Amino acid sequence: MKKNHIILYVLALSSTLLGCNSTKTTTAETDYTQYVNPFIGAADNGHTFPGACTPFGMIQTSPVTGAIGWRYCAEYVYSDSLIWGFTQTHLNGTGCMDLGDILVMPVTGKRTRNWDAYRSHFDKEKEAATPGYYTVELNEPQVRAELTASTHVALHRYTYHKTDSASILIDLQHGPSWNEKQYHSQVQSCDVSWEDSQTLTGHVRNSVWVSQDYFFVMKFNRPVSDSIYLPLAETEKGKRIIATFSLNPEDVLMMKVALSTTSIEGAKRNMNAEISGWNFEEVKKAAHDNWNKYLSRIEVTGSDEEKTNFYTGFYHALIQPNQISDVDGMYRNAADSIVKAETGTFYSTFSLWDTYRAAHPFYTLMVPERVDGFVSSLVEQSEVQGFLPIWGLWGKENYCMIANHGVSVVAEAYRKGFRGFDAERAFQAIKKTQTIPHKLKSDWNNYMQYGYLPTDLTEAESVSSTLESVYDDYAAAEMAKLMGKTEEAVYFGRRTSFYKNLFDKETLFMRPRNADGTWKSPFNPSDVTHSESNGGDYTEGNAWQYTWHVQHDVPGLIALFGGEKPFLNKLDSLFSVKLETKQADVTGLIGQYAHGNEPSHHIAYLYALAGRPERTQELIREIFDTQYRPVPDGLCGNDDCGQMSAWYMFSAMGFYPVNPVSGEYVFGAPQMPKFVLHLADGKTFTVISEGLSKEHKYVDSITLNGKPYTKNHITHEDILKGGTLVYKMK
């Protein structure tokens, strides 16, 4: 980031009052948001957005610099110089398109009927962001734009430096899309009404990733003096409106936009409950304080650069799952019925193939008050659609990715003692998910008949789908054991060894296999495949990466190789054999290892489980040094709803949940001198690394509460007890 950009960023922060933390008085004196840079990951493949939101909120109001093609999944690329406007919802770090609802853009000058003529250049030096706040100066209309938000409501403040036909473009056709055709056809219906001179309401139904209904209330602090509807193309149904206001130079126009999945009345209730007035600074401060309250749960000692990486990761991890229920608990479910969330809050945006690995384990540790609600939401959705969400968005299922890792999230929560959800209902959801075939990638009949998904009977991703489903079987078996369900524990327990059926002892790879038991040929373990682009038997990866996808039974995997020595030799090759690929999702390469994609995330820790912890420690340092930097292009891949960030935070503290359902965190090596975790019950868990430096990256010994600790992992329960974990570095 440029120096003067940093200055503006700091100035934006200085105008916001400090937040508070109820768990520890001293942390209230620190503004942890100063270490969050929302522009990190907002370059080409990080797919993050810099706009304003609150933790787990429905609203993410943020600038749009593009909307067509994979590059614009978050609608913003840092290097762009043209802003289209500001939309009210966004996905954080995903690889697919959706949301981007209700584009608005302040405009001045002669009005034109060409909606795309209102885009504006802007200077990077006049753009800044901090948690809960975004601002930019738009050159052509000469308007300063400022955005903040509550859970369900976006609040915009526009200062018009000139007032020649001061207007707002309201574009309800807009939405990030894969191509031009979809961009102009994704809206199925759009109804709007001016309820009075300051209030526009409406309902839009569109479809990109899921079929989405949203209702909105848009209210201005000044009356509209005139409005016109722009012409639509043949396939367009989303209205475009130019609303004009009578303003003097330097006058401020404010706008509130409340959303609901249920009704216009629901959106009104959300607005009245959260932002009833027009005090922008008050809303901005509330958003800031909310973020600071969460960020202060972990006190980090380290350099400013390290803190920026860590707290920005913390920030990104808490953007989702999103609360899509109204303030009264009502929401639109997967069957398009309006129902009340059983816990009073319904969450969606579950990128489970990514987040079950580290983001959800992070929530169980640092945001435990949300976990029961997450699980209840998953179970509620499963009872409507017949299976636990694969990738839940806006209360619907988009069927993206493979397996059903909601199973892992539910079982992990139960294993860690969460009991604020109906465990029996949750297990029945797991059982149904893992035994009854449902649309796409759940052919349990072939899975049970062959003990794997045969490549000649499976359209794509046969190897990855088998291996990932085996982990969910393990999760189901573990929950069944804890609940005393012996029959189910035995049934799913037998399936946990199915991974062995795809291991080719000649090539030492997990390899696609035909229904007759023969191996698929020809076979190149370096071939990267992706079901949506080139088919194949692996999911956004290859045999090199997926051979290690046995998170629940590393000793069993080692045995397949013939012992630790051949296992480690093969693992060494993973990090040394060069991979040549142009696949967008397979990035952050160290040899064949791809840190930019989630199936690789646990692999570095396998050395620690095979007797070579020092190699894990070396690799963690290398990944930190090469794959995470506090700049816009500092992420080596999509943040994927906080998973990339969660890997960083766990690994910075020196441990990682290789097998989330086990409740164990495998030791790596800490990357910062000290962490103080403020736990839910007022206890603290302190992590100290003595002698840590660039040269001293290896762990010599570990003590827990002053006593020598020789295990290669620490349990969730040990952390929750509070205490002090000390790494002595060498």
Side-chain angles (χ1 to χ4, degrees):
M1 187 180 293
K2 297 179 181 178
K3 183 177 180 181
N4 50 2
H5 194 171
I6 296 174
I7 292 171
L8 187 65
Y9 175 72
V10 173
L11 287 174
L13 288 167
S14 66
S15 66
T16 307
L17 298 178
L18 298 182
C20 60
N21 186 319
S22 60
T23 60
K24 187 176 173 65
T25 303
T26 57
T27 61
E29 300 170 0
T30 303
D31 181 5
Y32 292 92
T33 69
Q34 71 181 291
Y35 300 114
V36 175
N37 181 353
F39 292 101
I40 292 176
D44 280 308
N45 66 349
H47 289 181
T48 64
F49 62 87
C53 60
T54 58
F56 309 107
M58 184 186 205
I59 291 290
Q60 307 83 32
T61 182
S62 190
V64 174
T65 67
I68 299 171
W70 185 81
R71 191 168 185 244
Y72 289 104
C73 289
E75 299 190 286
Y76 181 92
V77 173
Y78 184 80
S79 59
D80 289 345
S81 59
L82 198 68
I83 284 179
W84 294 19
F86 308 96
T87 49
Q88 316 314 309
T89 57
H90 287 82
L91 289 165
N92 167 39
T94 66
C96 286
M97 325 288 288
D98 212 324
L99 303 184
D101 300 310
I102 312 181
L103 183 140
V104 296
M105 182 64 168
V107 298
T108 56
K110 183 179 179 180
R111 295 191 308 195
T112 172
R113 298 174 72 79
N114 297 324
W115 55 273
D116 56 357
Y118 294 109
R119 297 167 184 173
S120 175
H121 292 88
F122 68 104
D123 296 326
K124 282 295 174 186
E125 291 77 7
K126 296 180 180 179
E127 181 187 40
T130 187
Y133 176 73
Y134 171 88
T135 184
V136 68
E137 289 276 351
L138 301 171
N139 294 349
E140 277 75 23
Q142 295 184 34
V143 171
R144 182 189 184 197
E146 297 175 274
L147 314 177
T148 189
S150 63
T151 300
H152 298 90
V153 188
L155 181 60
H156 297 227
R157 182 166 67 182
Y158 301 124
T159 303
Y160 286 74
H161 305 311
K162 71 174 184 178
T163 55
D164 177 16
S165 186
S167 305
I168 294 285
L169 165 68
I170 304 164
D171 186 349
L172 302 176
Q173 175 64 41
H174 175 88
S177 305
W178 289 104
N179 51 58
E180 283 277 354
K181 181 180 179 181
Q182 187 180 53
Y183 183 80
H184 296 288
S185 61
Q186 46 95 12
V187 175
Q188 277 81 60
S189 64
C190 175
D191 299 302
V192 298
S193 174
W194 285 101
E195 292 196 356
D196 56 47
S197 63
Q198 294 176 246
T199 309
L200 179 70
T201 61
H203 169 215
V204 177
R205 169 168 287 188
N206 58 26
S207 181
V208 177
W209 210 359
V210 296
S211 178
Q212 180 197 17
D213 282 85
Y214 69 83
F215 298 81
F216 71 90
V217 177
M218 180 180 293
K219 187 174 284 287
F220 299 95
N221 70 331
R222 297 170 179 269
V224 175
S225 59
D226 182 31
S227 66
I228 62 171
Y229 287 78
L230 302 183
L232 301 178
E234 181 180 357
T235 59
E236 295 182 337
K237 295 182 180 179
K239 305 293 192 298
R240 293 192 184 95
I241 304 169
I242 297 290
T244 302
F245 304 83
S246 297
L247 299 179
N248 295 315
E250 302 307 317
D251 274 353
V252 171
L253 175 67
M254 296 180 68
M255 177 184 66
K256 295 184 284 191
V257 186
L259 291 182
S260 170
T261 67
T262 66
S263 64
I264 290 171
E265 290 304 313
K268 288 180 178 179
R269 283 191 290 271
N270 292 339
M271 181 180 289
N272 291 335
E274 294 178 2
I275 307 180
S276 59
W278 295 101
N279 191 328
F280 188 93
E281 294 301 326
E282 182 180 83
V283 177
K284 174 185 170 186
K285 179 183 183 301
H288 166 273
D289 290 354
N290 196 0
W291 278 113
N292 203 46
K293 180 180 69 173
Y294 279 98
L295 298 175
S296 65
R297 293 183 182 189
I298 303 179
E299 295 178 72
V300 176
T301 300
S303 67
D304 284 351
E305 182 175 289
E306 290 170 334
K307 289 180 180 179
T308 296
N309 272 334
F310 189 93
Y311 285 108
T312 302
F314 200 165
Y315 167 78
H316 280 146
L318 303 193
I319 289 175
Q320 65 289 297
N322 304 121
Q323 178 182 331
I324 68 164
S325 52
D326 293 339
V327 292
D328 60 2
M330 304 301 290
Y331 73 99
R332 181 181 298 270
N333 69 12
D336 278 330
S337 298
I338 307 303
V339 298
K340 187 165 186 175
E342 295 181 16
T343 63
T345 304
F346 185 86
Y347 296 91
S348 198
T349 316
F350 286 104
S351 182
L352 295 162
W353 183 81
D354 306 292
T355 55
Y356 89 92
R357 304 169 194 270
H360 278 280
F362 182 78
Y363 302 144
T364 67
L365 194 60
M366 298 312 305
V367 199
E369 72 275 16
R370 300 274 181 169
V371 172
D372 287 321
F374 294 162
V375 172
S376 294
S377 297
L378 293 171
V379 173
E380 281 189 47
Q381 186 170 336
S382 77
E383 292 177 342
V384 176
Q385 66 186 27
F387 53 92
L388 284 165
I390 300 169
W391 212 121
L393 177 62
W394 212 250
K396 307 290 182 67
E397 177 57 62
N398 64 34
Y399 297 99
C400 187
M401 309 312 295
I402 56 171
N404 285 84
H405 292 313
V407 173
S408 173
V409 172
V410 173
E412 178 194 15
Y414 190 79
R415 158 66 181 81
K416 291 180 175 179
F418 290 89
R419 296 294 184 270
F421 59 91
D422 187 325
E424 183 59 36
R425 282 175 61 193
F427 184 78
Q428 291 307 314
I430 285 177
K431 185 176 178 180
K432 192 173 182 180
T433 297
Q434 291 299 103
T435 58
I436 299 177
H438 48 272
K439 179 182 176 182
L440 301 178
K441 306 168 186 175
S442 62
D443 191 346
W444 300 126
N445 296 326
N446 282 345
Y447 184 75
M448 290 302 297
Q449 180 177 347
Y450 299 100
Y452 57 94
L453 292 173
T455 181
D456 52 339
L457 301 180
T458 306
E459 184 176 352
E461 303 171 291
S462 65
V463 175
S464 295
S465 292
T466 298
L467 297 174
E468 303 246 17
S469 294
V470 166
Y471 185 76
D472 294 336
D473 288 331
Y474 158 78
E478 289 299 295
M479 188 168 176
K481 288 178 188 175
L482 291 172
M483 296 181 71
K485 296 180 178 293
T486 304
E487 182 179 345
E488 289 91 340
V490 170
Y491 175 79
F492 288 114
R494 182 167 69 90
R495 289 165 47 153
T496 62
S497 64
F498 280 5
Y499 72 90
K500 298 176 182 178
N501 297 328
L502 290 183
F503 187 79
D504 176 11
K505 292 189 176 181
E506 290 190 12
T507 63
L508 300 181
F509 284 108
M510 294 290 180
R511 181 174 176 180
R513 195 170 193 175
N514 295 306
D516 64 5
T518 60
W519 298 110
K520 182 178 181 179
S521 185
F523 170 64
N524 181 351
S526 293
D527 283 346
V528 174
T529 63
H530 189 303
S531 67
E532 294 179 359
S533 57
N534 61 355
D537 293 282
Y538 302 90
T539 300
E540 299 177 9
N542 62 18
W544 275 105
Q545 294 145 17
Y546 259 100
T547 293
W548 316 100
H549 208 286
V550 185
Q551 297 167 268
H552 65 292
D553 186 17
V554 177
L557 182 61
I558 292 172
L560 285 181
F561 277 92
E564 287 185 352
K565 185 175 181 180
F567 176 86
L568 291 168
N569 286 341
K570 189 74 167 185
L571 197 52
D572 285 340
S573 297
L574 172 73
F575 291 95
S576 60
V577 174
K578 187 175 182 180
L579 173 61
E580 299 283 356
T581 180
K582 294 182 179 180
Q583 178 62 52
D585 295 304
V586 182
T587 56
L589 296 175
I590 303 175
Q592 294 272 349
Y593 173 87
H595 191 73
N597 211 27
E598 280 63 28
S600 289
H601 276 190
H602 68 286
I603 296 177
Y605 287 88
L606 296 181
Y607 282 102
L609 296 174
R612 279 181 60 193
E614 69 281 358
R615 182 58 180 148
T616 292
Q617 294 156 21
E618 290 173 349
L619 285 168
I620 299 305
R621 176 64 64 85
E622 182 176 356
I623 294 168
F624 264 66
D625 288 346
T626 61
Q627 310 303 328
Y628 293 89
R629 295 175 297 115
V631 291
D633 64 349
L635 293 183
C636 64
N638 303 157
D639 190 60
D640 285 314
C641 291
Q643 170 58 27
M644 286 282 289
S645 295
W647 186 95
Y648 183 93
M649 289 186 288
F650 271 123
S651 296
M653 294 186 285
F655 46 81
Y656 183 80
V658 170
N659 175 4
V661 176
S662 72
E664 297 176 351
Y665 303 93
V666 176
F667 285 127
Q671 301 300 308
M672 299 173 206
K674 184 178 180 181
F675 302 86
V676 180
L677 280 58
H678 297 284
L679 306 174
D681 59 359
K683 294 178 181 177
T684 59
F685 186 76
T686 302
V687 179
I688 298 171
S689 49
E690 295 181 349
L692 175 67
S693 67
K694 183 177 180 180
E695 296 77 19
H696 299 149
K697 59 186 174 183
Y698 300 101
V699 177
D700 185 38
S701 62
I702 298 174
T703 60
L704 179 61
N705 299 325
K707 298 180 180 179
Y709 193 89
T710 57
K711 296 179 182 178
N712 59 12
H713 67 273
I714 188 169
T715 67
H716 187 76
E717 290 75 16
D718 281 341
I719 294 175
L720 293 188
K721 290 174 185 175
T724 303
L725 181 73
V726 178
Y727 301 85
K728 184 177 181 181
M729 308 302 292
K730 63 179 180 180

Coordinates of all heavy atoms in Angstrom, one line a residue, residues 266-292:
G266 N -40.6 -7.0 6.8 CA -39.4 -7.5 7.5 C -38.2 -6.6 7.4 O -37.5 -6.3 8.4
A267 N -38.0 -6.0 6.2 CA -36.9 -5.1 6.0 C -37.2 -3.8 6.8 O -36.2 -3.2 7.4 CB -36.8 -4.8 4.5
K268 N -38.4 -3.4 6.8 CA -38.7 -2.2 7.6 C -38.4 -2.4 9.1 O -37.9 -1.5 9.8 CB -40.2 -1.8 7.4 CG -40.5 -1.2 6.1 CD -42.0 -0.8 5.9 CE -42.3 -0.2 4.6 NZ -43.7 0.2 4.4
R269 N -38.8 -3.6 9.6 CA -38.6 -3.9 11.0 C -37.0 -3.9 11.3 O -36.6 -3.4 12.3 CB -39.2 -5.2 11.4 CG -40.7 -5.1 11.6 CD -41.2 -6.4 12.3 NE -41.2 -7.5 11.3 CZ -42.2 -7.8 10.5 NH1 -43.3 -7.1 10.5 NH2 -42.1 -8.9 9.7
N270 N -36.3 -4.4 10.4 CA -34.8 -4.5 10.5 C -34.3 -3.1 10.6 O -33.4 -2.7 11.4 CB -34.2 -5.2 9.4 CG -34.5 -6.7 9.4 OD1 -34.9 -7.3 10.4 ND2 -34.4 -7.4 8.2
M271 N -34.7 -2.2 9.7 CA -34.2 -0.8 9.7 C -34.6 -0.1 11.0 O -33.8 0.6 11.6 CB -34.8 0.0 8.5 CG -34.3 1.4 8.4 SD -35.0 2.3 6.9 CE -34.1 1.5 5.6
N272 N -35.9 -0.2 11.4 CA -36.3 0.5 12.6 C -35.6 0.0 13.8 O -35.3 0.8 14.7 CB -37.8 0.3 12.7 CG -38.6 1.1 11.7 OD1 -38.1 2.0 11.1 ND2 -39.8 0.6 11.4
A273 N -35.3 -1.3 13.9 CA -34.6 -1.8 15.0 C -33.1 -1.4 15.1 O -32.6 -1.3 16.2 CB -34.7 -3.3 15.1
E274 N -32.5 -1.3 14.0 CA -31.0 -1.1 14.0 C -30.6 0.3 13.6 O -29.6 0.8 14.3 CB -30.4 -2.1 13.0 CG -30.6 -3.5 13.4 CD -30.0 -4.5 12.4 OE1 -29.4 -4.1 11.4 OE2 -30.1 -5.7 12.6
I275 N -31.2 1.0 12.7 CA -30.8 2.3 12.3 C -32.0 3.2 12.1 O -32.5 3.3 11.0 CB -29.8 2.4 11.1 CG1 -28.7 1.4 11.2 CG2 -29.3 3.8 10.8 CD1 -27.7 1.4 10.0
S276 N -32.6 3.6 13.2 CA -33.8 4.4 13.1 C -33.6 5.8 12.7 O -34.5 6.5 12.1 CB -34.6 4.3 14.4 OG -33.8 4.9 15.5
G277 N -32.4 6.4 13.0 CA -32.1 7.8 12.7 C -31.1 8.0 11.6 O -30.9 7.1 10.8
W278 N -30.4 9.1 11.7 CA -29.4 9.5 10.6 C -28.1 9.8 11.1 O -27.3 10.6 10.5 CB -30.0 10.6 9.8 CG -31.2 10.3 9.0 CD1 -32.5 10.6 9.4 CD2 -31.3 9.5 7.8 NE1 -33.4 10.0 8.5 CE2 -32.7 9.4 7.5 CE3 -30.4 8.9 7.0 CZ2 -33.1 8.7 6.4 CZ3 -30.8 8.2 5.9 CH2 -32.2 8.1 5.6
N279 N -27.7 9.2 12.3 CA -26.4 9.6 12.9 C -25.3 8.6 12.3 O -25.1 7.5 12.9 CB -26.5 9.5 14.4 CG -25.3 10.1 15.1 OD1 -24.2 10.0 14.6 ND2 -25.5 10.6 16.3
F280 N -24.7 9.1 11.3 CA -23.7 8.2 10.6 C -22.5 7.9 11.6 O -22.1 6.7 11.6 CB -23.1 8.9 9.4 CG -22.2 8.0 8.5 CD1 -22.7 7.3 7.5 CD2 -20.9 8.0 8.8 CE1 -21.9 6.5 6.7 CE2 -20.0 7.2 8.0 CZ -20.5 6.4 7.0
E281 N -22.0 8.8 12.3 CA -20.9 8.6 13.2 C -21.3 7.6 14.3 O -20.4 6.8 14.7 CB -20.4 9.9 13.8 CG -19.8 10.9 12.8 CD -18.6 10.3 12.0 OE1 -17.9 9.5 12.6 OE2 -18.4 10.6 10.9
E282 N -22.5 7.6 14.7 CA -22.9 6.7 15.8 C -22.9 5.3 15.2 O -22.5 4.3 15.9 CB -24.3 7.1 16.3 CG -24.9 6.2 17.4 CD -26.2 6.7 17.8 OE1 -27.2 6.3 17.2 OE2 -26.3 7.5 18.8
V283 N -23.5 5.1 14.0 CA -23.5 3.7 13.4 C -22.1 3.2 13.1 O -21.7 2.1 13.4 CB -24.3 3.8 12.2 CG1 -24.3 2.4 11.5 CG2 -25.8 4.2 12.5
K284 N -21.3 4.1 12.6 CA -19.9 3.8 12.4 C -19.1 3.4 13.6 O -18.4 2.4 13.6 CB -19.2 5.0 11.7 CG -17.7 4.9 11.5 CD -17.1 6.2 11.0 CE -15.6 6.2 11.0 NZ -15.1 7.5 10.6
K285 N -19.4 4.1 14.7 CA -18.7 3.8 16.0 C -19.2 2.4 16.5 O -18.4 1.6 17.0 CB -19.0 4.9 17.0 CG -18.4 4.6 18.4 CD -18.7 5.7 19.4 CE -18.0 5.4 20.7 NZ -18.4 4.1 21.3
A286 N -20.5 2.2 16.4 CA -21.1 0.9 16.9 C -20.5 -0.3 16.1 O -20.1 -1.3 16.7 CB -22.6 0.9 16.7
A287 N -20.3 -0.1 14.8 CA -19.7 -1.2 14.0 C -18.2 -1.4 14.4 O -17.8 -2.5 14.6 CB -19.8 -0.8 12.5
H288 N -17.5 -0.3 14.6 CA -16.1 -0.3 15.0 C -16.0 -1.0 16.4 O -15.2 -1.9 16.6 CB -15.5 1.1 15.1 CG -14.3 1.1 15.9 ND1 -14.2 1.3 17.3 CD2 -13.0 1.0 15.5 CE1 -12.9 1.2 17.7 NE2 -12.2 1.1 16.6
D289 N -16.9 -0.6 17.3 CA -16.8 -1.2 18.7 C -17.1 -2.7 18.6 O -16.5 -3.5 19.4 CB -17.8 -0.5 19.6 CG -17.3 0.9 19.9 OD1 -16.2 1.3 19.5 OD2 -18.1 1.7 20.6
N290 N -18.1 -3.1 17.8 CA -18.4 -4.5 17.7 C -17.2 -5.3 17.2 O -16.9 -6.3 17.7 CB -19.6 -4.6 16.7 CG -20.3 -5.9 16.8 OD1 -19.9 -6.8 17.5 ND2 -21.3 -6.1 15.9
W291 N -16.6 -4.8 16.2 CA -15.4 -5.5 15.7 C -14.3 -5.5 16.7 O -13.6 -6.6 16.9 CB -14.8 -4.8 14.4 CG -15.6 -5.2 13.2 CD1 -16.4 -4.4 12.4 CD2 -15.6 -6.5 12.6 NE1 -16.9 -5.2 11.3 CE2 -16.4 -6.4 11.4 CE3 -14.9 -7.7 12.9 CZ2 -16.6 -7.6 10.6 CZ3 -15.1 -8.8 12.1 CH2 -16.0 -8.7 10.9
N292 N -14.1 -4.4 17.4 CA -13.0 -4.4 18.4 C -13.2 -5.3 19.5 O -12.3 -5.9 20.1 CB -12.8 -3.0 18.9 CG -11.4 -2.8 19.4 OD1 -10.4 -3.2 18.8 ND2 -11.3 -2.2 20.6

